[in-house]
Amino acid sequence: MRKSKFLVLLVLFCNPLFGQVDFMKSDSLRQEALGLLMSKEYRKSAEKYKELLKDYEGYINKSDWYNTACCYALVGDVEKSFYHLLVLVEKNYKGYNHITTDSDLAILHSDKRWNDLISKIKANKEEAEKYYDKPLIAILDSIREEDQKYRRQMDEMRKEHGTDSEEWEVLIQNLQEADSLNFLKVSKILDERGWLGTSVIGEAGSVTLWLVIQHADQLPEKQRDYLKFLRVAAEKGEASLSNLAYLEDRVAKNFGNKQVYGTQITQDSISGEFYPYPMIDPENVDKRRMKVGVEPMGSYLEFWGATWDVDKYKKRMAELDAEKED
């Protein structure tokens, strides 16, 4: 299954017919289908995806085809699952590493068509990677590992020692040092070569560039400068729209402006409740999020143990504005 939690990317692929497509309706269907899928109502989700794929061919999203195939596989409909995966292959799907490890499709593995399907996806992947800068990708892989190494320890460290402990302080110091070193390496790449696209460094490499800049909060001006690089790459289809949305929000937050997509979260110092930093037009945030492949606010906030109530959020924002005026 394709989920959009933090680093998982849902890149939208649109054709020139976008002006003829009812984006509002297609986004609504996609959101409903994804919600049903995440709730494990696979057959209902498949039906919603089927409606989306039938009526909105001008708004092509590879993740929609993939998720539909997963839904059918999870309810035991092998034929329909293979049908949607074969469409993906024709659309030059290259997710070999993902599909070969996705347990949602386990029922297909014993079918004689599976190996042929996987061979075609692997061929798509190898064709796309012919022009990769593999030495640079190796460097970016090591940078990404350094970026994530200490962050993977944070939840366990927080639970075991608390955030007032010496252990926590050491962890944060190590994290900050790693972030600083990673920024020096990535900024050199960006200054010399620009924001290299997925056709040169692959999706993982592009994610690494984004991660390091996303975590460079100590240098907000540089963050803002490199955001311009990412915008250009995303406009060319060479970087993830979801990554762009996260960095747009991060830069807005760091300069005291309202975010657009609600990706940046803060915590109430008294209640401990998590909620999004101030954002523009909160009533329509899910419409904006869906257009860049980010999951709805409701499921996003579930990760933080919070719920999305737009009226409650607007009231909280009004109270914060009143406090500032006082």
Side-chain angles (χ1 to χ4, degrees):
M1 185 196 320
R2 287 282 192 185
K3 298 180 181 178
S4 54
K5 184 76 71 181
F6 294 100
L7 305 185
V8 184
L9 310 180
L10 297 178
V11 183
L12 306 182
F13 296 83
C14 303
N15 74 10
L17 298 176
F18 67 90
Q20 302 173 24
V21 179
D22 184 347
F23 283 117
M24 302 289 282
K25 177 64 174 175
S26 62
D27 283 347
S28 177
L29 277 172
R30 182 177 291 107
Q31 183 174 339
E32 189 173 356
L34 183 59
L36 288 167
L37 186 151
M38 296 181 73
S39 299
K40 299 184 179 181
E41 296 187 58
Y42 303 125
R43 190 168 295 281
K44 290 182 179 179
S45 178
E47 289 303 310
K48 287 296 177 183
Y49 275 121
K50 180 181 178 181
E51 184 179 350
L52 174 68
L53 297 175
K54 176 184 176 184
D55 295 340
Y56 298 95
E57 294 182 3
Y59 193 14
I60 299 173
N61 186 333
K62 291 184 181 179
S63 294
D64 294 334
W65 289 94
Y66 189 94
N67 285 345
T68 308
C70 287
C71 288
Y72 281 123
L74 288 164
V75 298
D77 195 331
V78 171
E79 294 302 318
K80 288 183 180 178
S81 184
F82 267 114
Y83 167 76
H84 288 85
L85 291 176
L86 288 169
V87 170
L88 266 181
V89 171
E90 293 175 2
K91 294 180 181 298
N92 199 32
Y93 177 70
K94 302 180 287 290
Y96 175 80
N97 294 335
H98 180 86
I99 196 170
T100 53
T101 58
D102 191 345
S103 59
D104 288 353
L105 301 173
I107 193 174
L108 307 183
H109 294 183
S110 60
D111 192 288
K112 62 182 181 181
R113 292 168 290 183
W114 177 254
N115 288 337
D116 182 57
L117 178 81
I118 294 303
S119 296
K120 291 177 180 177
I121 294 171
K122 185 177 182 181
N124 287 345
K125 178 176 181 288
E126 290 174 347
E127 177 65 22
E129 294 178 357
K130 282 197 306 186
Y131 304 105
Y132 275 11
D133 186 332
K134 294 184 179 179
L136 179 56
I137 288 175
I139 292 171
L140 291 171
D141 285 345
S142 66
I143 291 174
R144 186 172 62 259
E145 174 58 30
E146 284 297 306
D147 178 273
Q148 293 294 295
K149 180 169 65 176
Y150 299 110
R151 289 180 168 85
R152 284 195 293 264
Q153 302 174 30
M154 292 179 77
D155 281 346
E156 184 176 346
M157 184 70 72
R158 185 186 293 110
K159 293 174 183 176
E160 186 173 348
H161 298 286
T163 56
D164 295 326
S165 65
E166 182 179 346
E167 289 83 356
W168 179 265
E169 185 177 342
V170 170
L171 177 64
I172 295 303
Q173 183 178 344
N174 289 337
L175 174 64
Q176 291 172 343
E177 290 175 358
D179 283 352
S180 296
L181 290 172
N182 286 337
F183 180 80
L184 290 174
K185 296 173 185 177
V186 165
S187 62
K188 185 174 186 297
I189 294 169
L190 292 173
D191 291 342
E192 291 178 355
R193 303 181 64 178
W195 199 288
L196 296 169
T198 54
S199 61
V200 178
I201 56 175
E203 287 189 1
S206 182
V207 167
T208 301
L209 297 181
W210 165 70
L211 276 174
V212 173
I213 302 306
Q214 184 81 358
H215 294 152
D217 293 319
Q218 73 280 11
L219 296 167
E221 290 82 8
K222 282 289 188 181
Q223 235 178 7
R224 183 173 57 186
D225 290 342
Y226 291 132
L227 171 60
K228 299 173 186 175
F229 288 29
L230 177 54
R231 283 177 186 149
V232 172
E235 287 171 2
K236 295 178 179 178
E238 286 284 348
S240 165
L241 293 175
S242 60
N243 287 355
L244 177 61
Y246 273 86
L247 190 55
E248 292 276 12
D249 280 356
R250 192 67 156 251
V251 170
K253 177 192 72 109
N254 287 343
F255 280 90
N257 300 319
K258 290 186 177 182
Q259 58 177 330
V260 176
Y261 302 99
T263 64
Q264 303 303 295
I265 306 298
T266 188
Q267 187 176 26
D268 189 288
S269 59
I270 298 175
S271 69
E273 182 183 7
F274 289 97
Y275 64 95
Y277 276 95
M279 73 174 86
I280 64 168
D281 187 22
E283 292 92 344
N284 294 302
V285 64
D286 277 338
K287 294 175 184 176
R288 299 191 295 274
R289 291 170 72 90
M290 290 303 293
K291 287 182 179 179
V292 294
V294 180
E295 66 188 319
M297 285 299 304
S299 54
Y300 182 62
L301 286 176
E302 283 180 9
F303 177 85
W304 302 89
T307 57
W308 176 238
D309 183 327
V310 67
D311 292 328
K312 181 180 177 181
Y313 176 75
K314 288 167 63 178
K315 182 179 178 181
R316 186 195 294 269
M317 292 300 103
E319 291 170 351
L320 291 175
D321 289 341
E323 290 175 7
K324 290 178 183 177
E325 291 178 3
D326 292 343

